[in-house]
């Protein structure tokens, strides 16, 4: 039997790609393409709800899906630790299944893993992220997640962020300055710079087209059918968490 899937944010760039992937796979049946004009009951018959909508709309969409007993894959940006906290509680209480993926790109996930490994060895850390002009939120969800994970890997040790009160120094996320660019000609880019005595380590990832997200979407959809509880990050889907299991602070 096919698995029924509804996609919230189906008219957006990522939503169109998700719909294409679902429609091309005989294991799935796309039963609803949802937009801001859709009624709240549309897609209620789906077993899986994929949310790639808008940061402001996402929490309510996810809550409705969980109340219906749907398995949920969240690819919408903006799910910081502050937003994840009530979701963790709801998932724990209900026994629901949710996978939250800040970035479906395999290269981006690997870049974040490398940044987590490097973070305890450097006190001076900054993140520069760039996206296309239509991206509505900044910093990006990927940058926020990277900063939070790096801070956790440092075990709470403060980073060196001089003059952080100056607006040009970027937004502090978990003590790490994040600088956001919105430029024509860019799809997505993130660079983590870690400075130490006499050296700078740069971990850079460039996304050149939305095709970079295809493999991650396929993997997350497959994992959603057997997962339980809340999984945050594609690294959990791909088994990369094992690499970091013994790292202090994780």
């Amino acid at each position: 039997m096919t698995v029924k899937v509804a996609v919230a944010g189906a008219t957006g760039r990522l939503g169109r790609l998700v719909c294409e992937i679902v429609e091309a796979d005989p294991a799935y049946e796309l039963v609803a393409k949802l937009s801001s004009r859709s009624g709240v009951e549309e897609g209620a018959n789906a077993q899986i709800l994929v949310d790639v909508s808008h940061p402001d709309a996402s929490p309510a969409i996810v809550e409705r899906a969980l109340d219906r007993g749907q398995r949920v894959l969240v690819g919408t940006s903006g799910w910081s630790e502050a937003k994840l906290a009530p979701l963790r509680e709801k998932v724990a209480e209900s026994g629901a299944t949710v996978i939250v993926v800040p970035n479906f790109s395999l290269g981006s996930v690997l870049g974040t893993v490398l940044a987590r490994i490097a973070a305890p060895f450097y006190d001076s850390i900054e993140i520069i992220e760039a996206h296309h002009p239509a991206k509505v939120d900044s910093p990006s969800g990927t940058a926020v997640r990277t900063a939070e994970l790096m801070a956790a890997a440092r075990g709470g040790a403060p980073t060196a962020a001089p003059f952080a009160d100056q607006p040009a120094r970027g937004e502090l996320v978990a003590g790490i300055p994040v600088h956001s660019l919105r430029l024509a000609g860019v799809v997505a880019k993130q660079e983590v710079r870690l400075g130490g005595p006499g050296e700078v380590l740069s971990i850079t990832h460039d996304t050149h087209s939305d095709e970079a997200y295809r493999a991650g979407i396929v993997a997350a959809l497959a994992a959603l059918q057997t997962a339980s509880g809340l999984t945050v990050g594609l690294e959990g889907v791909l088994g990369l968490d094992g690499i970091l299991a013994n790292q202090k602070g994780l």
Side-chain angles (χ1 to χ4, degrees), residues 11-246:
T11 59
R13 293 172 57 160
L14 191 55
R16 290 193 297 270
L17 179 59
V18 173
C19 290
E20 177 188 321
I21 290 169
V22 171
E23 289 179 315
D25 192 328
Y28 302 113
E29 178 188 357
L30 184 61
V31 296
K33 294 182 179 181
L34 309 175
S35 70
S36 58
R37 296 186 178 91
S38 300
V40 294
E41 292 306 314
E42 291 186 51
N45 62 327
Q47 295 156 286
I48 289 176
L49 185 285
V50 181
D51 170 46
V52 284
S53 58
H54 187 283
D56 292 339
S58 183
I61 291 171
V62 171
E63 184 170 2
R64 279 198 301 272
L66 294 181
D67 289 341
R68 294 168 178 157
Q70 294 171 316
R71 292 175 174 263
V72 181
L73 172 59
V74 181
T76 301
S77 187
W79 281 85
S80 64
E81 278 299 324
K83 284 189 175 181
L84 286 170
L87 180 60
R88 291 184 196 278
E89 291 183 11
K90 188 173 183 68
V91 169
E93 291 171 359
S94 64
T97 299
V98 182
I99 297 178
V100 178
V101 179
N103 196 311
F104 286 104
S105 161
L106 302 184
S108 176
V109 173
L110 289 167
T112 296
V113 168
L114 293 173
R116 290 166 68 180
I117 293 171
F121 299 94
Y122 295 89
D123 291 331
S124 185
I125 305 171
E126 309 224 359
I127 298 174
I128 305 165
E129 59 96 353
H131 282 79
H132 54 87
K135 185 169 178 60
V136 297
D137 60 319
S138 62
S140 70
T142 302
V144 169
R145 180 68 178 163
T146 301
E148 290 174 342
L149 291 174
M150 293 174 80
R154 292 175 54 77
T159 58
F163 310 110
D165 59 321
Q166 298 177 4
R169 289 288 292 117
E171 179 179 333
L172 279 181
V173 178
I176 297 173
V178 180
H179 311 268
S180 296
L181 310 178
R182 297 294 175 262
L183 295 172
V186 175
V187 176
K189 179 173 183 173
Q190 177 169 287
E191 180 178 2
V192 179
R193 296 187 185 182
L194 305 102
E199 66 175 3
V200 172
L201 170 64
S202 296
I203 301 170
T204 304
H205 175 258
D206 283 282
T207 301
H208 298 296
S209 82
D210 293 341
E211 279 299 302
Y213 308 127
R214 185 179 293 273
I217 294 169
V218 170
L221 280 169
L224 192 63
Q225 298 181 60
T226 57
S228 60
L230 175 64
T231 301
V232 181
L234 197 61
E235 60 268 29
V237 171
L238 301 176
L240 295 173
D241 278 345
I243 299 174
L244 301 157
N246 296 320

